Each structure stands twice: as structure tokens, then as C-alpha cells.
Amino acid sequence: MLHAAMLRSPHAHARIKSIDVARARAMPGVHAVLTGEDAKQYWGPLPPTIDIGMKVPTVYGLATEKVYYMGEPVVAVAADSRYLAEDALELIDVEYEPLPAVTDTEAALAPGAPLLYPDWGDNVQCEWGMAVGPVDEVFAQAAHVFDYRIPQHRYSGVSLEGRAALAQFDAYSRKLTLHCSTQSPNLVRTLVAQTFNFPEHDVQVIAPDIGGGYGNKLQADAEVIPCLLSLATGRPVKWTESRQENLLSGMQCRDYVWYLRVAVSRDGILQGLDAKVYGNVGCDGTCHAAGAGKFLVACGYVPGPYKWQAFKVSTKVAVSNKAPSGAYRGYGKDIANFPLEVAMNRMADALGISPVEFRRRNFIGRDEFPYQQISGPIYDSGDYALCLSKLLDLVDYDGVKRRQARQNDGTGSRYLGIGLASMLEPSGGAVPNCIFNSYEVATVRLMPEGGILVLTGHQDIGQGTETTLCQVVADELGCTPDDVRIIYGDTNAVPYGMGPWSSRGATFNVSCVAEAARTLKRNLIEVAAHLWQCEATGVDIAGGAIAEAGGERTLTLKALGNQLHLWPGAFGIVPKHVTNPFEATHYWTSPIASWAPDELGRIRLYSTHPSGSSAIVVEVDAETGKIEVKDIAIVDDCGVIINPMIVEGQLHGGYVQGIGGALLEEFHYDERGQLWNTDLTSYLHPLATDVPAIKCDHVISPSPYTALGTKGMGEGSAIMPVAVMVNAVEDALRPFGVRVSELPLTPERVIALLRTSPRWREMYGAPA
Amino acid sequence: MKFEGESQLEGSKDAVWDALNDPRVIEKCTPGCQSLSIVAPDSYELVTKIGIASISGTYKGSMRLGDRLGREQYAMFAEGAGPIGTMSVAGTVALRENGAATSVNYSFEVQVGGAMTGMAQRALLPIAKLLTKQFFKSVDKLLAGASLPAAEEGGT
């Protein structure tokens, strides 16, 4: 087996003038040294993963004429060991002509900005907008109009397990086998086949139980490089991403700025929302990864869980000289949630209403579902006011407010604050013209010995898919989870399926598995009824056995499996009207998603709409700027809960990730496009000691549109905390009247913020 | 990134000035310098080999001296690229009599690129300090009349 290493660009934007690989090629132990130009004999440009009216650049797995971001792979090496491969990189001479770089979103969109793709004429990868209702009239007549600029910085799902790929091209069978750490083996198979113009059915992708898939592992980007090296050498080639490579290029996320205008009536009723979001997808959000689409999702969901009379939204998505942008636990729902939930608290303040009461006045009511939001989606079910009420009890909101009044009297330096926000978590996306498509297929199979195999294109990424699907199938087929085995992660073993993203496991995957199990169950009951010459209506399966009503005759699944497959075999015992008693395959898609625009041009991309509320209690030290998280409470409504422990695990993990984004995590690009923090001592994550025990409670509003009433819930917990934290810090620092304008809230930023307060400068004797 | 410091050299201001502006001295005293070629007066191309842990490797670059204010101060511009990134340096070197010795003050703005960026804040300044110290130590030895051996790997 050979090992791959990649020479990466030190420049954020530069023309490649020459590459000399002669010395590297001559090094003993080196088997291949390929530049972007060399590689063109094996592959074409990276195929688009999303193209909804977007500009799609022609880019390759290795840079060709230009480099667009610091860390972009320029030359690939395969050698006998990783050590030799890394040494060979040092023998490669690349001559660059540095070009002006642009990193800031609004600077990239400004006239005269350096252009990444000059033939575009600008840096706009994607542009979209819509308006519904009498927007101008509502704003002209509103008692209050509020304006906000709310930016969020760039961070991502930086997981312990980075990317890894082992590509094996077998020249004899002309088969390409790729083991890799991915969320969607089937999509990777298609993308690899498209990249190399290689027969897709000759590509096999195998992904065992992986970790670190928070949306970051949804593409074939660097993974194509080991494939390239294997095709060139005819030998297996392995690449394991280093931490530095992961931080430089492992699909980044967030990075945008909102401008919100909100019209509110005299009595605190939301009337109009006029919102613009400028997104930054780094060098690309279409081919390297599908980051550009998240801003369209954000546009559709910025109205949140509230009612509006008029709505206008637009987005411009910029390319810049930063790493490519993909998905990360939110994919636009986070972008939608953050600005509005911060604005809700600030508006409540300005109106002299509590943030709780302001939300209550504007929530969609529990009796109004299914509710078509002004932006188009159909919200399936929910009880937003109940989530908020339960949250107030869970976090003892009134108690915290009383303690706050005592503690923040100006005598101490630690200021207590509580922030809360509501959340809408559209889950189970069905997006046209991209890899985030709209169906899932599962097969449930009865084996001769009575065990059940479930074949799914879904992928276990540590989210408990194997556990929940075993539970679902065991419940449907009346057996135990131990009788069920979930097969996933091998494209040659499972139906073509999409994998876990958009929290679609509990919508698409659970639904198709449940429906397939139901079909299999009906067929098995028909077979038993036929054997017993009785009516099928009285037959059921429980405790691993099929039983006649009244319990006279029973047949274990093992006995039935044996009869069907072996003694005597299907021919003798299956009634004519049962076409396949061995297995059932179900294709499931959402009944409420729709790509046919309605009369206002709106489409509906999500199949369920989980919701929730959460609160954080903080103490902010006005002397040091340190924020201490004292309490966290979450109330989640994901419909029917399959496994409470897994649901709470998702809530805990996601929430801590969100706190990381609010307080610590940030890609530090300077204005030249140089990334300064490429290790985990400078890209900081929250530690277990940074968060208190998290309290959870639930509201259960079953979805009428999924097989079991379940809804997805993998992202909501990660999308709430940034808004909640900003609200908590602004609440704590109320005596200083400051508004957070930059994230993450490091102690330095908190002090810089406090420095803008005359009162703080007076108290701490600091100059203006 | 700012990189500033001061060194004391045992020699008159004039002697130190001549030494620091002499390409042969620069070639002999720059840690790890493998070759220095004169492109034009005050304009050189260098190849240096650094042997310090994570930044070890061969660096190619150019250096230019200029903007002289009498025999007191001059400007230095340098840029280079090596296995883990790029670096450019721009700043001034100022000399001041200090009894029989001479104080050399330097103040540079350093820009790094590539993988070097990630370590710049923590590791690069100490390394730059070490290499600068090594440089002036060599100059000092030369001024004292020693003949220097060919440059070794910088930092070793």
C-alpha cells in the first residue's frame, strides 16, 4: 500500500507560474508525483454537488492555473510511507505569482474587489430573492420599524475524526474500491464516478461506522486524490488527513452577515420582515462542497415560528479566498435562527415587553397546524408556546431574574444574565438540483434462520442509527432489537440512498424502514394465514412469533424463515397474491415537500418542522471579560421520540457545539487570506468543564406526515445556542447598554465591547 | 507581526556599519546560508538551510538593502519561500555608538504565509530571535578578527 501526501498552497490567491517535480519524482520510494495538469489525463473538473441557478466554477481536485485559498492541494505524491511522501513534498518547487486576495464577505461583493473567477465579472456565486404580501405598505404604516446588522463569523464542525480515504484500483477487474470516512457512501460513489468519468457501477464505496459527520463529510473533495494516485500507480493508496489539513480545508461553515428590517405594530405584533443575507462560501460552495445552498434555506426559514403579514428576503452569496464551504449542523436553519432570535430580544427591550411575552404574542398557535409559513413551507405540527412555558419552569426564569436584580447592583464585577430563544428546525430536506435530494429506500429482509436484515443507504455517523432502526423494526415485526441487523455503508450491499444530512434519519429513513417492515409483516401474516387456512385479520406477530388470534397456533420467525427458504420452501407455502414474502423494499418521500411553485412562486423543501426553546444563564465578569455558563435548559419538540437517550444525547452534543461557536471557535483569516489557527491549541473547542449539566424537557407534537410521527432532531440543539448566548450576554451587561456586534465572544471581545460603554469606562477608569 | 530587538557588537560604529552592509559578511554570518549571489548592488539572492524542528528545510529568497540615512540607519527588505511557507520582512536597522561598542537596533514587520502562519504566533518569533542572535554573534566574531567556517545549518 502506498501513502499519499499533498503539497498545499501557501497563498490565498496566486497564479501558478511553474511547478518543478523532477527532484521529487527521482526520490527513492516515490511512486507518483502528479500536478493539476498531470492529473487531467485521469479526471475532469469536480462535478457540481448543487446548482440551483448558481455559477459553477471549473475547478479540479488539484489546482491548475490558479490557487484560490491557502491550503488548496497543488501536487499529490504517493510513496512507500507517509514520511517519504511528506519528504518528497519538500523537493517540489512551485513558483507562484501572488494575486490580491479578498476574504471579507461585503468586500468581496463590493465593486473593484479582486475576482476569483474573472469570467464571472463579479464574485457572486448565487443570488436569489422573493417578496410576499404588501411589504412597502406594512413598513410605511408600522408603529415601529427596527433595523439590525447581525453578522456571524466562520467556524465549522471540527471533529476528532478527520477525513481518511483508502483507494484501491484493480487494473485487472477495472474496479475502484474506496474506503472513506463519509456520511453518504452512495453520493461519494456517484461523485467519484463523475469526476473520473469512470463507470459508476464499477466503483464501490465502503464507509464503516464513522464519526465526525456533522455535514462536513458530504462530498468527494480531497477524497478524489487517493483515487487519482491509485489509478496512476495501480496500487492501493491511503490518505489520512492531518489536523492542519482538516482546519485548512475540511469544509468550513457559517460566515455571513444579515441586514434585518422589522415592522412591529403598537401592541407588539410582528407585521413585516425585510431581510437580506450576504453569505461567504470561500472559494466555492458548489463543487468542492454544497455550501452555497444553505443561504437559500436561510431565506426560506428566517420568518421562524412567528406570523407575518408581509415578507421580503434576498441573498447574495460571495466567493472569497478562504477554504470551500459546506454543511455544518444547521445548513441554513442556523443562519435563519440567529439574526431573528437576537432581534426578537432587542425589539422586546425597545418595546418594553419581556422577550417571553413578545414571542408569545407572535407565535403560530398550536391549533393553526398545518400552517403554511409566509415564505412557503408547510409547518406540520408544534406547540411553540408550550415549549417556551416549559422552558421557563425548567430554567426557573423568574428566579434567575430575581437573583439578577440583586446581583447586578453594581457592587460586584460578575453580572448575571439569562438569554432564551425559540427555534424551528426544518428537517428532512428535499432540495432539487443537488445531492440533497428527496427520497430514501430501505429493504427489510427475513433470513432463513428468522433474523431480520435491514439494508439502508443511510449511514451510522455516531447518531445511533443502528439502535433506532433496530427498535423501529423490532416494534413493527414483533421481535427484539437483537433479532435485527442493520446493514449500511457499503454501496454494493445496500439500496442507493442519500445518507444522514438535514436530520433526515427520523423522517426519510425511519419512515421507509417502518413502511418496509410493515409490508414484510403483512406478507408474513398472509403466509401464516395461508398455512393455517384461516383469515389473516386475526393473525399478528409478537414476541418473535406469528400467532393466530386466541393463541391456538403459533409459528416463530425462525420456523417461518425455515419453511419459506428451506423446508419445504416458498413454492409450497406462499399464497399466489403474495409476491415477495422474503423481503420488502419501500421508497419513501415527503408528502408535503413540493418543487412545483405555488401562485406566489414558493416551493416547499422540508418534510417536518421540529421546534423548541432553550435558555442559557451566564455570569459575565466585567473586569476580565470571561463568560461563565451557569445553566443550560432545552425544551425540544421532535414529535414522537424513538429513543429518549439518543434524543437527549443529540441535544447535549449539539448545544455544546453551538456554545463553541458562540464563545470560542473561529477560523482566523487575515486580510491576505492567511489562516492563523491551524491546530487545536489555537482553534478552541469547549471542554466538559466549560458547560454545566444540561437540563432537557420535551413536548411531543407528532408529525402527521411521517410513518411514525417522528421528526428529525440532529441540528436544532446546535443552531440555538449562538442567539441564546448573545441574548444572555446582552441581558447580563444590560447596566452597560452594549450590543454584541462580533463573535465569538472571547474575553478580549467582551472587554472591547464593554469599552464602548461610558458607564464601564467610568467604573473601570478606562480611557475612551 | 512586529519583530524588534537590540544587539551589542564589539566594534566601532563604522566597522559595524561596513560589516553589516557587506554581502560577504551577510553570506558568512546568515545562519545556514548556502549561497549568496549579487544580483545588483545591494540586491542579493540567498539560499539558506534551517535546521530547527518544524521549520527545517531549504529556503530560497531575495534581500535588498537601501534607504540609507548617513551611516546610521538603513532599510532591509527580504522575502523567501521554503517547504512550509513564505515569509517577507521589511524594516530598519539603526546603529548607535555605545562606548567602544555599537548598539544595533532592528525593527521589522514580518508577514508569513502558508503552514508557517499556524505556528507564527507561538513558535516563529522565538526562532527568529535565535537566528538573529546567531547572526550577530557571527558578525561579532568576524569583527574580532576570527575567520568563520563555512555556514552550518541555521539553528544547529
Side-chain angles (χ1 to χ4, degrees), chain A residues 46-61:
Chain A
L46 292 172
T49 59
I50 188 166
D51 180 8
I52 312 173
M54 293 158 179
K55 290 183 203 152
V56 178
T58 303
V59 288
Y60 294 83

Side-chain angles (χ1 to χ4, degrees), chain A residues 168-176 198 230-231 233-235:
Chain A
Q168 293 172 270
F169 172 63
D170 184 79
Y172 179 71
S173 64
R174 312 260 341 133
K175 245 193 81 179
L176 178 63
F198 197 93
S230 184
L231 284 163
T233 58
R235 298 183 55 181

Side-chain angles (χ1 to χ4, degrees), chain A residues 197-429:
Chain A
N197 194 22
F198 197 93
E200 185 183 16
H201 49 277
D202 292 334
V203 180
Q204 180 181 11
V205 175
I206 300 170
D209 190 359
I210 72 139
Y214 297 105
N216 305 80
K217 292 178 178 169
L218 279 172
Q219 57 281 317
D221 183 49
E223 290 83 354
V224 301
I225 293 175
C227 296
L228 166 79
L229 292 167
S230 184
L231 284 163
T233 58
R235 298 183 55 181
V237 178
K238 180 181 167 186
W239 170 66
T240 308
E241 179 177 67
S242 71
R243 177 56 53 193
Q244 194 176 51
E245 288 179 301
N246 176 265
L247 287 159
L248 280 171
S249 65
M251 296 315 141
Q252 302 182 352
C253 208
R254 311 296 191 248
D255 201 356
Y256 57 83
V257 53
W258 277 100
Y259 289 87
L260 294 191
R261 284 187 81 215
V262 190
V264 184
S265 77
R266 203 168 307 284
D267 43 358
I269 302 297
L270 296 171
Q271 294 174 307
L273 175 59
D274 180 353
K276 289 189 197 73
V277 59
Y278 299 115
N280 187 332
V281 288
C283 68
D284 176 38
T286 59
C287 298
H288 288 289
K294 62 193 169 211
F295 296 101
L296 303 178
V297 174
C299 287
Y301 281 102
V302 67
Y306 309 107
K307 294 198 272 191
W308 305 88
Q309 297 167 23
F311 172 60
K312 187 176 166 189
V313 72
S314 65
T315 184
K316 258 189 198 186
V317 180
V319 289
S320 73
N321 297 110
K322 297 188 197 175
S325 171
Y328 167 45
R329 219 168 184 174
Y331 201 70
K333 307 135 196 175
D334 53 318
I335 305 173
N337 179 265
F338 172 58
L340 186 66
E341 290 300 325
V342 169
M344 287 299 285
N345 273 37
R346 292 182 185 172
M347 289 188 286
D349 264 8
L351 295 166
I353 312 173
S354 92
V356 174
E357 173 57 22
F358 188 43
R359 284 179 171 80
R360 279 180 177 151
R361 284 185 200 175
N362 290 288
F363 277 144
I364 295 160
R366 58 179 295 181
D367 303 326
E368 298 179 73
F369 294 98
Y371 181 89
Q372 182 164 30
Q373 182 53 288
I374 192 162
S375 52
I378 292 176
Y379 294 180
D380 47 340
S381 61
D383 192 339
Y384 308 144
L386 181 59
C387 284
L388 191 55
S389 300
K390 281 192 155 193
L391 178 72
L392 300 181
D393 292 341
L394 192 61
V395 74
D396 184 21
Y397 187 79
D398 294 335
V400 175
K401 279 290 177 193
R402 282 194 298 273
R403 275 193 287 141
Q404 181 187 39
R406 291 196 299 273
Q407 187 171 333
N408 297 7
D409 61 0
T411 55
S413 72
R414 292 173 72 86
Y415 289 79
L416 190 68
I418 181 165
L420 53 80
S422 293
M423 173 277 285
L424 186 80
E425 182 194 1
S427 78

